[in-house]
Amino acid sequence: SGSWDKTIKIWDSKRVGNKNVQAIQQPDKVFAMDVFGYKVIVGHAGRTLRIYDLRKLDSSIDPAGTQTHSESPLKYQTRCVKVFPDQTAYAVGSIEGRVGVEYFKADPDSKSKFAFRCHRSKDKDGNEVINPVNAIAFHPTYGTFATGGCDGLVNIWDAKNKKKLCQFARYDTSISSLDFNSDGSKLAIASSYTYERGELRNPIPDSIIIRNIQDEDVKPKPKIK
């Protein structure tokens, strides 16, 4: 677990008494975290990232493999972070309607890392509205991923081919969280106002939607030469 008290903690639910196994100090408030395999990635209020190996939690590793922390590939506050299913890379979502993809061991001259705009729209006057990216979830089979934003939209992306595969119909309010089930046949979507516009007089009630997923929604499409 990660907290605004600037720590991440490891817990053992089977342990008698104090179930907190270890606490690791962080440089700032914890805003996002993901655990996949042996990797733990933590995003902070100050846009720093720390990447840990569960087998050696006394140190953190940055994408280049050195014993230090790194900075988010995005310029604005981190809202969510997620490790790729193959553990080669991670995706970061920010409040600026943008997702960045960076590899743990990327060649400095490689063009593999990238960022793209998403969850943006136009208001009635034609002005761009930028919505935070609140959630990222990877499909367990195809490695494509879904993003959910404060615009109430869920998009499916193919990172390898750098393209959007589909967009679901808009939900009633912000998408606060989402995740695929173990075989990728369903996507759980939490639609809940995240106070991006402050207090509302009549906020829309929270809801959880279980959506059946078709292969055509999430399967990468071959590049057209």
Side-chain angles (χ1 to χ4, degrees):
S1 62
S3 171
W4 280 23
D5 66 1
K6 301 183 182 180
T7 66
I8 62 170
K9 292 186 177 182
I10 311 300
W11 305 87
D12 182 356
S13 61
K14 297 179 181 179
R15 189 174 179 177
V16 177
N18 183 9
K19 300 183 184 299
N20 181 207
V21 177
Q22 188 174 0
I24 305 169
Q25 196 67 33
Q26 299 298 299
D28 212 329
K29 294 177 180 178
V30 176
F31 275 9
M33 186 173 69
D34 188 36
V35 181
F36 195 95
Y38 290 117
K39 285 190 170 63
V40 181
I41 184 165
V42 186
H44 309 105
R47 294 180 46 252
T48 52
L49 296 170
R50 281 196 173 175
I51 302 155
Y52 294 89
D53 186 321
L54 282 172
R55 296 166 294 187
K56 43 185 178 181
L57 282 169
D58 56 337
S59 63
S60 61
I61 56 173
D62 74 355
T66 56
Q67 303 299 312
T68 183
H69 60 268
S70 61
E71 190 173 82
S72 168
L74 305 178
K75 294 180 180 179
Y76 293 88
Q77 187 185 91
T78 300
R79 182 60 68 90
C80 54
V81 62
K82 205 75 174 175
V83 179
F84 275 57
D86 62 7
Q87 300 187 56
T88 60
Y90 59 90
V92 181
S94 79
I95 61 170
E96 192 228 353
R98 194 181 292 264
V99 169
V101 173
E102 189 152 331
Y103 286 76
F104 289 113
K105 294 183 179 179
D107 181 339
D109 298 323
S110 172
K111 296 181 180 179
S112 57
K113 65 178 183 180
F114 62 94
F116 60 92
R117 296 179 179 182
C118 54
H119 297 281
R120 299 183 179 211
S121 57
K122 299 284 186 181
D123 64 16
K124 61 182 180 180
D125 298 319
N127 300 310
E128 186 176 47
V129 178
I130 299 172
N131 298 282
V133 180
N134 293 327
I136 298 172
F138 280 89
H139 190 273
T141 303
Y142 297 121
T144 52
F145 63 91
T147 59
C150 286
D151 53 359
L153 290 172
V154 174
N155 298 323
I156 308 293
W157 306 90
D158 177 358
K160 185 177 180 180
N161 294 314
K162 300 179 182 178
K163 64 190 297 185
K164 182 163 70 175
L165 297 176
C166 74
Q167 182 179 87
F168 300 151
R170 190 184 302 273
Y171 291 92
D172 292 335
T173 188
S174 310
I175 305 303
S176 57
S177 184
L178 45 76
D179 204 5
F180 288 98
N181 67 338
S182 60
D183 65 5
S185 62
K186 297 182 186 299
L187 179 64
I189 302 166
S191 178
S192 177
Y193 180 57
T194 55
Y195 293 86
E196 63 274 6
R197 290 179 288 157
E199 292 283 350
L200 296 181
R201 182 172 297 179
N202 297 301
I204 296 171
D206 299 343
S207 61
I208 295 177
I209 304 96
I210 307 298
R211 185 184 181 99
N212 291 322
I213 298 297
Q214 307 299 321
D215 259 17
E216 62 192 38
D217 297 330
V218 293
K219 187 175 182 178
K221 296 177 174 60
K223 282 188 174 181
I224 300 174
K225 296 182 179 180

